Amino acid sequence: MYKIKTYNKIAPEGLALFDANYKINENGNPDAILLRSHNLHDIEFNPELKAIARAGAGTNNIPIEKATEAGIVVFNTPGANANAVKELVLACMILSVRPIIRGAQWIKNITTDDLDTTVESNKNEFKGSELEGKTLGVIGLGSIGSIVANDAYRLGMNVIGYDPYVSVNTAWNISRRVKRALNLDEIFRESDFISIHVPLNENTHHFISKHQIYKMKKDAVLLNFSRKELVNIDDVLDALDHDNLDQYITDFVDKQLMEHPKVLILPHLGASTYEAELNCAKAAVGTLTYFLETGNILNSVNFAPMELAFNSPTRFTLIHKNQPKMLGQISHIAGELNINIDNMMNRNSGDYAYTIVDISDTDPTLLAKVKQSFDGIDSMLYTRIIRQ
């Protein structure tokens, strides 16, 4: 029986995927946490906690390093809300070239009875331009950036993309019509619109600042639907005030931006669709149950992916520091206890590693001895027994 603690409102269709082996939000220390945007930085993790699953892509609300040191696997759901974010990015690009919002607001304030004449005589004030033929630069070609690039091309735009770390799977899905930029300067120099789709980390904080902005076209539109801190707000405002940037569109509220006429701010609507919330909840629950029941890891942000067919009666999963001779110590313990290892797999992710050990033995007393011996290895963080 596994105990699950949830934060935020998780789509009930996702929670329904938990079967009778799971208890949701009952008393006791949870085996796993399922959440959306709730801040976990100030909570203490209970010793039984094995996993945290974020129903969404970003994990800035989760203390990743603290979780890793405690042997807790953190998951996210990349791609589950990608379509929702993509549609909003494309909608905002259209809003940036067509004064649709201003025109709709003007209509509501008309007081004359002769609506047709008034509208026809004033509509030129709301003349815009078209996306077709304009150039979009996409920085980051992951699950969201790749489909933004593909669909922008289908709208008739010229699209260039930059991502030195694009995965093989993503590369297969990107249209061959999307031009590959060899460096960021090419994006800044050629693009009428620039859309950022990169994760926030110590290397990407203020990824866009004055040095990058002043390489852009003066009439360029910058869109940020990834993370607020990717962009230096002070530098953006300075560029807007001096006509070195035409517009800034973002999904993240900031007081400095509130009153600026060249800024469009949305209330963090990127993944706010019924479909996205449902997809994220289902994906998070699926990833979480797969890990708890098999020990296999998919879509983790702090451990390498690892899948091993679970054919033996008993499986040990071991989270430990990535140090020499660890596998030798694990094998030595199995030999000392006269246990035959059916299968073993190990993957590292920097300073940490994850090992699966499958055995045929089922005697509870023996398994307890094995676990106790594994726990006694220096640099072992967390051990678990999974029974078929």
Side-chain angles (χ1 to χ4, degrees), residues 67-72 303 316-334 344-346 351-357 369-385:
T68 306
E69 291 173 350
I72 299 168
F303 287 93
F316 284 88
T317 63
L318 315 173
I319 295 177
H320 51 86
K321 295 284 185 67
N322 182 26
Q323 294 183 352
K325 301 181 181 180
M326 287 296 292
L327 297 183
Q329 293 183 73
I330 293 168
S331 298
H332 178 74
I333 288 172
M344 184 163 69
M345 180 179 282
N346 168 271
D351 294 333
Y352 298 88
Y354 185 73
T355 302
I356 290 177
V357 180
K369 288 182 179 179
V370 175
K371 185 178 187 304
Q372 184 179 20
S373 297
F374 286 158
D375 285 335
I377 298 176
D378 288 341
S379 302
M380 186 65 68
L381 301 175
Y382 199 98
T383 67
R384 184 159 70 106
I385 303 173

Side-chain angles (χ1 to χ4, degrees), residues 82 138-150 174 197:
V138 180
I139 302 175
L141 295 168
S143 55
I144 297 174
S146 60
I147 59 175
V148 168
N150 286 346
I174 298 174
H197 301 281

Side-chain angles (χ1 to χ4, degrees), residues 235-375:
D235 291 351
V236 164
L237 289 172
D238 182 74
L240 292 171
D241 289 339
H242 291 88
D243 295 326
N244 288 307
L245 184 68
D246 189 62
Q247 295 180 61
Y248 179 56
I249 303 176
T250 184
D251 207 18
F252 308 103
V253 176
D254 189 289
K255 281 189 175 182
Q256 296 183 81
L257 300 173
M258 296 287 285
E259 301 298 327
H260 204 287
K262 294 182 179 180
V263 175
L264 173 62
I265 310 174
L266 301 180
H268 205 186
L269 297 178
S272 295
T273 68
Y274 296 109
E275 294 86 351
E277 291 180 6
L278 177 60
N279 291 341
C280 286
K282 286 184 174 181
V285 171
T287 301
L288 196 57
T289 55
Y290 188 48
F291 170 72
L292 291 175
E293 294 171 17
T294 71
N296 289 325
I297 293 178
L298 291 176
N299 296 327
S300 170
V301 299
N302 60 340
F303 287 93
M306 189 157 73
E307 288 188 278
L308 182 65
F310 195 176
N311 296 322
S312 299
T314 305
R315 168 168 287 184
F316 284 88
T317 63
L318 315 173
I319 295 177
H320 51 86
K321 295 284 185 67
N322 182 26
Q323 294 183 352
K325 301 181 181 180
M326 287 296 292
L327 297 183
Q329 293 183 73
I330 293 168
S331 298
H332 178 74
I333 288 172
E336 286 284 306
L337 295 173
N338 199 30
I339 288 174
N340 183 54
I341 295 177
D342 296 338
N343 217 342
M344 184 163 69
M345 180 179 282
N346 168 271
R347 292 285 185 275
N348 74 78
S349 51
D351 294 333
Y352 298 88
Y354 185 73
T355 302
I356 290 177
V357 180
D358 288 346
I359 65 174
S360 297
D361 299 88
T362 59
D363 178 62
T365 302
L366 177 60
L367 297 181
K369 288 182 179 179
V370 175
K371 185 178 187 304
Q372 184 179 20
S373 297
F374 286 158
D375 285 335

Side-chain angles (χ1 to χ4, degrees), residues 78-110:
N81 59 10
N83 188 72
V85 178
K86 174 208 70 178
E87 290 186 357
L88 193 61
V89 170
L90 296 179
C92 285
M93 284 201 294
I94 293 173
L95 291 176
S96 72
V97 294
R98 302 289 298 273
I100 296 170
I101 296 176
R102 187 162 58 87
Q105 292 172 337
W106 176 78
I107 284 285
K108 287 189 174 183
N109 292 321
I110 295 177

Side-chain angles (χ1 to χ4, degrees), residues 87-133:
E87 290 186 357
L88 193 61
V89 170
L90 296 179
C92 285
M93 284 201 294
I94 293 173
L95 291 176
S96 72
V97 294
R98 302 289 298 273
I100 296 170
I101 296 176
R102 187 162 58 87
Q105 292 172 337
W106 176 78
I107 284 285
K108 287 189 174 183
N109 292 321
I110 295 177
T111 56
T112 179
D113 292 332
D114 191 1
L115 287 175
D116 290 339
T117 301
T118 302
V119 167
E120 288 301 316
S121 60
N122 288 276
K123 68 179 183 181
N124 279 342
E125 295 181 21
F126 308 103
K127 185 181 293 184
S129 56
E130 301 178 12
L131 293 180
E132 185 175 12

